Amino acid sequence: MKQRRMVSFDIKTDEYLQEYMKEQQFRFPGDAIARICLEHQTLQEEKQETPSQIVPVPSVEEMVGAIAEKINQLMETERLFLRNEWFCMEESMKRSIMEIFQEVEEKQAAKRGELVAAILERYNR
C-alpha cells in the first residue's frame, strides 16, 4: 500500500534525486525516495549493531607481551632448526672423515702388500 504525498525539494536535492533515478533506473521519484529511505534505514541499523561487534583495542603492554612471545617462539624454532642442521653437518663430516681414513688405510695396506711382494720376489731370486 502506498501513500500519496506532495513534497517540495530545493534545487540540489532535486538534482540529486534525478541523478539517483538515472543511476538506479527508476521511473518514478517515489520509488527512488523509498529506496533512499530504505538504504538510510539499513545504514542506521548497521551503525547501531557495529559498537557491540567492535573488539576492544589491547593495551600497549598486552601487544608488547604478545609480540615478545611470538618472537620467542620464532627464535626457539630457529634455534632448533640450526641445532638440527649443525648435527647433520657434524654427522656428514664424521662420515666423510671416516671414508677418507678408510681409503688411506686401504692404500697403505695395498702399498705394504706391494712392498712385501717386492721383498719376497727379491728374496726368491
Side-chain angles (χ1 to χ4, degrees):
M1 182 162 158
K2 294 186 177 186
Q3 292 284 331
R4 184 172 280 265
R5 302 213 187 264
M6 296 246 332
V7 293
S8 299
F9 299 118
D10 61 10
I11 294 173
K12 279 186 174 182
T13 305
D14 189 52
E15 288 173 359
Y16 176 79
L17 184 60
Q18 294 299 323
E19 186 178 312
Y20 187 85
M21 287 173 60
K22 285 179 187 175
E23 286 176 9
Q24 301 297 321
Q25 298 177 348
F26 284 114
R27 187 169 167 200
F28 301 107
D31 295 335
I33 293 170
R35 170 68 83 69
I36 292 170
C37 291
L38 183 63
E39 289 173 0
H40 177 73
Q41 184 179 6
T42 304
L43 279 174
Q44 292 300 320
E45 290 171 0
E46 287 175 2
K47 282 182 183 177
Q48 289 174 357
E49 291 174 6
T50 307
S52 64
Q53 295 172 353
I54 293 176
V55 177
V57 176
S59 68
V60 173
E61 292 84 13
E62 291 172 341
M63 290 190 318
V64 168
I67 291 169
E69 180 65 30
K70 187 65 176 173
I71 289 172
N72 284 335
Q73 289 173 355
L74 291 171
M75 294 297 286
E76 181 67 17
T77 302
E78 285 299 312
R79 186 186 67 77
L80 290 173
F81 174 76
L82 290 173
R83 187 189 73 183
N84 289 340
E85 287 295 313
W86 182 263
F87 178 76
C88 290
M89 186 175 68
E90 191 175 336
E91 289 298 311
S92 177
M93 289 173 63
K94 282 180 187 177
R95 280 193 302 274
S96 296
I97 290 171
M98 291 303 291
E99 289 172 2
I100 290 169
F101 282 150
Q102 196 171 17
E103 283 180 29
V104 168
E105 209 171 283
E106 288 172 359
K107 286 180 181 179
Q108 286 178 347
K111 284 185 180 181
R112 281 191 301 254
E114 290 173 5
L115 184 62
V116 169
I119 291 173
L120 287 175
E121 192 177 306
R122 284 189 183 173
Y123 181 73
N124 288 335
R125 286 191 209 175

